[in-house]
Amino acid sequence: MRRPVWLVFAYTVVGSLFFPFVISTLLWLNNSSRVVREARNGALVNAILGSALALYLFLAVRSVIEVAQG
């Protein structure tokens, strides 16, 4: 029986691109001046989202460097 390896690979790639996009969008939109001040992100939420985005960026840069080195 043939396994859909390409489907798992595609899901992984799309997920790795989707989550940083969602995180950065949440940081941008929830902290904009158009949002009511009481509905904006707090410092803790901003720190958690920023840490998650930094982790994704670190892992992306690390993967690119590993691929470039061969």
Side-chain angles (χ1 to χ4, degrees):
M1 182 169 190
R2 190 166 182 208
R3 296 181 185 212
V5 175
W6 64 271
L7 183 62
V8 173
F9 181 73
Y11 179 77
T12 303
V13 169
V14 170
S16 67
L17 296 174
F18 179 72
F19 287 118
F21 173 74
V22 169
I23 292 169
S24 59
T25 303
L26 283 172
L27 281 170
W28 178 52
L29 289 177
N30 288 343
N31 290 307
S32 70
S33 60
R34 296 182 204 162
V35 177
V36 179
R37 186 166 300 280
E38 291 80 23
R40 290 184 189 170
N41 285 346
L44 179 63
V45 175
N46 283 333
I48 292 170
L49 287 173
S51 299
L53 186 59
L55 177 65
Y56 272 106
L57 292 174
F58 169 75
L59 292 174
V61 168
R62 184 174 159 195
S63 295
V64 168
I65 290 171
E66 286 179 7
V67 169
Q69 289 179 347

